[in-house]
Amino acid sequence: MPDNFQRLWTPHRMAYIKGEGRPTGADAGEVCPFCEIPGMSDEDGLVVSRGESVFTVLNLYPYNSGHLMVVPYRHVADYADLDEPEYLELATFTQRALTALRKCSGAQGFNVGMNLGLVAGAGIAAHLHQHVVPRWGGDTNFMPVVGHTKVLPQLLRDTRQMLADAWPAV
């Protein structure tokens, strides 16, 4: 029956909803997107910056425009298992992400954190990653609350380039 609702179709999200390609354990044979991304070009992998131990990448399924993740190259699931160079660079890249997002998007606040383990909400629990989600006053509206739809005003490739250009120099 027809109704008064308009619909935004996002069939590309079905792969995410179904968990396609999502590693569930630490098996060496499993395909892990965070292990594959470093082998891609920055543009194809949506990589914003690369360090010695970690890299920063745009979230393919962002909560907000500019939603970044800081990821160790090493396939490790638990924060407690990071070595000193890894956790120090992870912290440094998180600071740089905040700086770049403030500079290029005027973010007024941030949600920063990790979901460790499937029961904690980790989409890819086998490979640790820190989320940096920019926030603005009034960035919550009826679309996600009522419509269960997120409206993003910029393409991921454009966002990646903008953040890479704003990334602080070492």
Side-chain angles (χ1 to χ4, degrees):
M1 290 205 118
D3 56 32
N4 291 328
F5 291 100
Q6 292 191 21
R7 286 157 177 81
L8 296 176
W9 299 103
T10 57
H12 64 279
R13 291 199 45 84
M14 189 52 70
Y16 176 76
I17 292 165
K18 289 182 175 180
E20 291 175 13
R22 180 185 302 167
T24 56
D27 297 340
E30 266 190 293
V31 175
C32 173
F34 293 139
C35 290
E36 290 182 335
I37 290 170
M40 299 177 183
S41 70
D42 288 353
E43 293 77 15
D44 289 341
L46 299 174
V47 175
V48 173
S49 185
R50 298 175 189 256
E52 295 293 319
S53 301
V54 304
F55 62 97
T56 304
V57 62
L58 278 175
N59 190 324
L60 191 56
Y61 305 103
Y63 293 112
N64 269 344
S65 290
H67 179 169
L68 296 171
M69 295 178 292
V70 182
V71 185
Y73 290 110
R74 187 164 63 98
H75 188 86
V76 59
D78 197 318
Y79 184 76
D81 292 334
L82 293 177
D83 61 30
E84 187 172 350
E86 288 169 329
Y87 73 73
L88 290 174
E89 193 170 53
L90 186 131
T92 300
F93 270 53
T94 300
Q95 287 179 321
R96 290 179 185 162
L98 298 172
T99 299
L101 284 161
R102 281 189 183 107
K103 179 179 178 181
C104 69
S105 71
Q108 298 167 318
F110 298 91
N111 294 115
V112 177
M114 299 176 201
N115 300 315
L116 300 176
L118 289 174
V119 298
I124 300 175
H127 198 135
L128 173 123
H129 51 286
Q130 169 121 298
H131 293 266
V132 180
V133 182
R135 302 299 303 270
W136 299 268
D139 67 5
T140 300
N141 59 45
F142 77 95
M143 288 298 285
V145 176
V146 176
H148 302 285
T149 302
K150 195 64 157 160
V151 178
L152 301 169
Q154 190 173 46
L155 296 173
L156 289 174
R157 289 183 187 274
D158 296 341
T159 303
R160 189 216 68 80
Q161 187 61 56
M162 181 180 69
L163 285 164
D165 292 344
W167 196 259
V170 179

